Amino acid sequence: MAVTDSSLARSAKTATSAETQERRAAWSLAAPALILMVVILLVPVLIAAFLSFTNYSLGNSGFDWVGARNYEKLFTRSTYEKMFVATFTYVVTVVPISVGLGLGAALLINSLGRFREIYKTIYFLPVMATLLAMAIAWEFMLHPSIGMINRTLELGCGTPLEWLWPFMATGCADGFPVWLGDKRYAIWVICFIGIWQGFGFNMVLYLAGLTGVHRELYHAAEMDGAKSAWERFRLVTWPALGPTTVFVVTISCIRAFQVFDTIEAFWPQGGGPNKSTYVMMFAIFEKGVQQNLIGIGSAITVLFLIFVMFLTLIQRWLVERKVHYG
């Protein structure tokens, strides 16, 4: 009996020692990645949060602690009010439309028997292209006198379209808009380009999600009376794409908050006409880089990170609930 107890004790000790070695090996393997994550991600965020409570500028030997004054400016000054309006206008417009178009394009391509890869490539081209180069191309197309957009609209002058559409009547009489120089249209031009550039990416994500929808579900739905394409979509496809939709919406929101290249290409000196396209990423660049106001730039950065973190937490909560839409 004593020998058996001694053997069990040695076995338990050996197992504990093996588990300890495995844990040490696991931490040793994970340590480089954890260190890099802390240095590259966590430390800059903490530094930005600290600097957001100061008036620090690069080149200065010191700085003053200003408390929440930078954040107070963000919520009281008209310039930053325009920043929030432009940012959320862009996000609220681009996200639902690009997600809807991406889903529609994915369903259409998935239903094709031939030329599927050709259409997939065509829709995905704006995603692969450099957005800065595309912005320059759009700038030429939107030129008020030689641009293709206004030239095409001018072809409608003298036709029934001029009488049926008040916008055409005004444009034919007084000239069509200076799209990039008019505060009424500038933000909507940016939204249009964002939708054009983003829905192909969402299409690819939805195509990946559609591959996980089993054909047996459609056969079962047909046996239960779902004969039309709309009923099959409503009862089978849409609920099965619930987790994919959560991911697509989250990624689209984050990408929308990050819009910068187009605005920098169109208005390098500052946020469009009357700051109508003064989004958060451009404000961070202007304050933190161009004007060397590191404190206020850090405060905008912290707010931006809070928005992104909020969206990420919502996605995680929905995924953990295994969300489906019926």
Side-chain angles (χ1 to χ4, degrees), residues 9 19 73 83 87 90 96 111 122 133 141 151 186 216 250 255 291-292 299 304 308 310 326:
E19 291 178 359
K73 292 178 182 178
M83 177 190 72
T87 301
Y90 183 87
S111 65
I122 291 172
M141 288 191 289
R151 286 293 183 89
E216 291 79 4
T250 304
R255 286 164 59 91
Q291 299 179 6
N292 194 21
F304 173 81
V308 173
F310 179 71

Side-chain angles (χ1 to χ4, degrees), residues 122-134:
I122 291 172
Y123 287 132
F124 197 68
L125 278 175
V127 182
M128 294 186 294
T130 304
L131 189 56
L132 186 59
M134 292 296 99

Side-chain angles (χ1 to χ4, degrees), residues 90 186-195 259 262-263 266-267 277:
Y90 183 87
I187 186 62
W188 303 114
V189 169
I190 296 300
C191 290
F192 176 82
I193 295 175
I195 294 168
V259 61
T262 311
I263 296 169
F266 287 162
W267 304 282
T277 60

Side-chain angles (χ1 to χ4, degrees), residues 82-83 85-87 89 179-188 190 263 267 270-279:
K82 294 177 181 178
M83 177 190 72
V85 170
T87 301
T89 298
W179 298 102
L180 300 179
D182 193 326
K183 65 179 182 179
R184 296 174 298 174
Y185 301 107
I187 186 62
W188 303 114
I190 296 300
I263 296 169
W267 304 282
N274 197 30
K275 298 288 186 181
S276 58
T277 60
Y278 191 64
V279 295

Side-chain angles (χ1 to χ4, degrees), residues 128-208:
M128 294 186 294
T130 304
L131 189 56
L132 186 59
M134 292 296 99
I136 295 173
W138 276 105
E139 188 173 12
F140 278 105
M141 288 191 289
L142 293 166
H143 193 279
S145 58
I146 64 174
M148 184 178 68
I149 304 297
N150 282 0
R151 286 293 183 89
T152 303
L153 291 173
E154 289 171 0
L155 297 176
C157 295
T159 65
L161 187 61
E162 180 181 352
W163 311 326
L164 297 174
W165 191 10
F167 174 81
M168 285 293 299
T170 303
C172 292
D174 303 328
F176 289 100
V178 181
W179 298 102
L180 300 179
D182 193 326
K183 65 179 182 179
R184 296 174 298 174
Y185 301 107
I187 186 62
W188 303 114
V189 169
I190 296 300
C191 290
F192 176 82
I193 295 175
I195 294 168
W196 168 80
Q197 198 267 340
F199 89 92
F201 181 76
N202 296 337
M203 175 201 70
V204 172
L205 295 177
Y206 272 119
L207 283 173

